[in-house]
Amino acid sequence: PITPIMSAFTGESAEVIAWVERKTGERRSGQDLGPWLKNGEVLCALANSIQAGAVQNVNHSPMPFKQMENISAFLKAARKLGVRDGDCFETADLYD
């Protein structure tokens, strides 16, 4: 279901957000999408919900380089799960 918090997103974007929330159990709770994903923890949880152990080590540090490691680990897992390179973003695309 699309919640009022997702009202700024329509169509596929809202569906993707709802799917990520269902898969990970993580809620955006009114956060903008970028900050919600920026530390990489939600992305790692998503990869691990698709394949257990896809991301072995999830950093819970506020340090930028640790957060970027999470994003890189997610991207590596996504590629192993079959996402093509051309369909992936770069760590800096999300972090900067």
Side-chain angles (χ1 to χ4, degrees), residues 12-79:
E12 290 180 3
S13 296
E15 289 178 35
V16 169
I17 291 165
W19 178 75
V20 171
E21 289 181 329
R22 280 193 313 275
K23 291 293 287 177
T24 64
E26 300 286 336
R27 301 288 174 247
R28 273 186 53 227
S29 302
Q31 292 183 73
D32 286 335
L33 187 58
W36 184 51
L37 300 176
K38 187 173 181 176
N39 68 14
E41 291 178 36
V42 173
L43 295 172
C44 290
L46 179 60
N48 285 333
S49 76
I50 294 168
Q51 181 178 345
V55 176
Q56 296 282 323
N57 183 32
V58 180
N59 297 297
H60 301 284
S61 171
M63 301 298 293
F65 72 95
K66 291 294 187 183
Q67 294 176 352
M68 287 186 275
E69 283 179 4
N70 285 343
I71 298 166
S72 294
F74 164 77
L75 291 168
K76 182 178 178 181
R79 288 179 175 102

